[in-house]
């Protein structure tokens, strides 16, 4: 995953799913899962984020993908309400 500030009020997301992940059906499933996992996370505004999937993502569950995204976004400090250690945001 790569991110860079974009100077806008919104964050833009891109997904890179190479052919090594699998055939088109598998790549599309991984892309849909990543999109839904990111949609449910409180992403900070004003960043361009590129998520690159690896071949292991094809066999991963939705929860595993989401957990990995939380970890990576937490390290990059792109989640609202986290301490930067990859922990999920606290619930009120």
């Amino acid at each position: 995953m790569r991110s860079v500030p974009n100077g806008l009020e919104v964050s833009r997301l891109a997904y890179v799913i190479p052919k090594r992940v699998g055939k088109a059906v598998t790549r599309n499933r991984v892309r849909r899962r990543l999109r839904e996992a990111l949609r449910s996370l409180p992403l900070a505004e004003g960043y361009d984020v590129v998520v690159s999937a690896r071949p292991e993502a094809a066999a991963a569950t939705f929860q595993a993908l989401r957990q990995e995204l939380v970890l990576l976004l937490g390290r990059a400090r792109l989640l609202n309400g986290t301490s930067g250690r990859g922990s999920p945001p606290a619930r009120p």
Side-chain angles (χ1 to χ4, degrees):
M1 183 176 72
R2 303 278 187 208
S3 63
V4 64
N6 64 13
L8 302 174
E9 294 181 9
V10 295
S11 288
R12 299 182 294 187
L13 305 169
Y15 307 93
V16 178
I17 317 295
K19 287 188 177 183
R20 289 179 299 166
V21 172
K23 295 191 179 206
V25 173
T26 304
R27 293 193 312 268
N28 287 334
R29 183 176 57 236
V30 170
R31 185 178 294 115
R32 284 192 307 268
R33 286 179 173 181
L34 288 172
R35 188 178 299 140
E36 180 60 25
L38 277 168
R39 189 180 70 80
S40 67
L41 295 174
L43 189 62
E45 295 178 353
Y47 290 91
D48 288 338
V49 180
V50 178
V51 179
S52 299
R54 295 189 177 186
E56 299 84 21
T61 64
F62 174 78
Q63 293 301 324
L65 289 174
R66 187 177 189 280
Q67 190 174 29
E68 191 66 25
L69 284 172
V70 168
L71 177 71
L72 293 171
L73 290 169
R75 284 183 191 168
R77 298 179 185 219
L78 294 178
L79 287 179
N80 291 328
T82 62
S83 62
R85 293 190 176 139
S87 60
R91 298 194 178 225

